[in-house]
Amino acid sequence: MTDVLRTTLLTALLSLGLATAAVAETPAATPATPAATPATPAASETRDVKLFFDETFNDMKEELETAKTDGKKGLLIMFEMDECPFCHRMKTTVLNRSDIQDYYKENFRVISVDIEGDLELTNFSGETTTQKDFALKDFRVRATPVFQFIDLEGKPFKNGRMTGATKDAEEFMLLGKYITAKKNEEMPFTKFKHEQ
């Protein structure tokens, strides 16, 4: 890949906010511009985004039992689809961060559900369905990403749903703390953010 093509590609990706991972691959001979420098705090490293998610057999009742056994506060379901640019941005700039992974893994079982998926899934009522029907019929998910927090009884947390990507990793961390501190029972997330 020529340097001109590489620079053009990186510029295009940066304008879309998708180049965090690509910047790390820029050769040492190409100086990084201030706009290309990630705003990630030095204390946070990046990891494979797959480490954010727990392995699942798509049985939500079993996931709840595992969460209870492991002392978690509940489940976090990320409803996503392959072609979703906002899902991709979350995975490459937020969900791959060590601080995010550590915090969420400590407090929740994290499951990914493909809203277009035909894989068989057992819902919280024990009924067999598909991933796409679970997303649409049980949770009315039409846009992605959707982050849905589920309590240990299999019910959505009050104010425990976020549709769309967060502004940054700090906002996503704040979302997790909002649920774990039970502030979701007192106020909407927007008000909680403004009070921080």
Side-chain angles (χ1 to χ4, degrees):
M1 182 180 279
T2 69
D3 288 333
V4 173
L5 182 58
R6 181 183 310 266
T7 303
T8 303
L9 181 60
L10 283 174
T11 303
L13 287 173
L14 279 170
S15 69
L16 294 172
L18 301 174
T20 303
V23 170
E25 296 175 9
T26 304
T30 306
T33 63
T37 305
T40 306
S44 179
E45 64 184 40
T46 58
R47 298 178 182 152
D48 188 332
V49 71
K50 291 177 187 171
L51 297 174
F52 180 71
F53 300 98
D54 290 297
E55 289 189 39
T56 181
F57 292 108
N58 287 322
D59 184 333
M60 294 301 139
K61 290 181 71 100
E62 184 178 298
E63 294 300 336
L64 284 175
E65 290 307 313
T66 303
K68 289 176 189 174
T69 301
D70 293 348
K72 309 289 183 179
K73 293 179 175 34
L75 305 180
L76 171 60
I77 301 174
M78 178 182 178
F79 291 99
E80 63 172 324
M81 64 180 174
D82 289 338
E83 303 81 27
C84 168
F86 300 107
C87 302
H88 178 74
R89 183 171 70 79
M90 286 297 292
K91 288 180 173 182
T92 59
T93 64
V94 176
L95 306 182
N96 64 341
R97 286 182 37 160
S98 60
D99 56 340
I100 296 291
Q101 290 182 1
D102 292 345
Y103 184 80
Y104 275 84
K105 294 293 255 184
E106 179 182 334
N107 291 288
F108 304 98
R109 278 198 55 81
V110 183
I111 309 299
S112 171
V113 172
D114 180 354
I115 70 163
E116 298 178 330
D118 290 319
L119 287 176
E120 189 175 280
L121 180 144
T122 303
N123 68 16
F124 293 109
S125 301
E127 300 163 342
T128 301
T129 185
T130 62
Q131 286 184 326
K132 66 181 168 191
D133 284 344
F134 175 70
L136 183 61
K137 293 178 181 175
D138 290 20
F139 289 95
R140 302 178 74 130
V141 174
R142 291 182 174 85
T144 55
V146 170
F147 296 94
Q148 177 68 64
F149 291 89
I150 305 292
D151 68 19
L152 294 173
E153 302 304 316
K155 306 289 184 209
F157 276 98
K158 179 179 181 181
N159 296 316
R161 178 175 174 139
M162 174 172 269
T163 300
T166 58
K167 178 179 70 173
D168 53 27
E170 287 69 31
E171 183 179 32
F172 192 70
M173 181 68 82
L174 200 59
L175 177 64
K177 291 179 179 181
Y178 166 72
I179 299 293
T180 59
K182 299 184 179 181
K183 295 296 185 182
N184 60 299
E185 297 171 5
E186 302 169 19
M187 66 186 80
F189 183 56
T190 51
K191 183 176 180 185
F192 177 73
K193 280 192 306 184
H194 291 301
E195 291 184 358
Q196 301 308 304

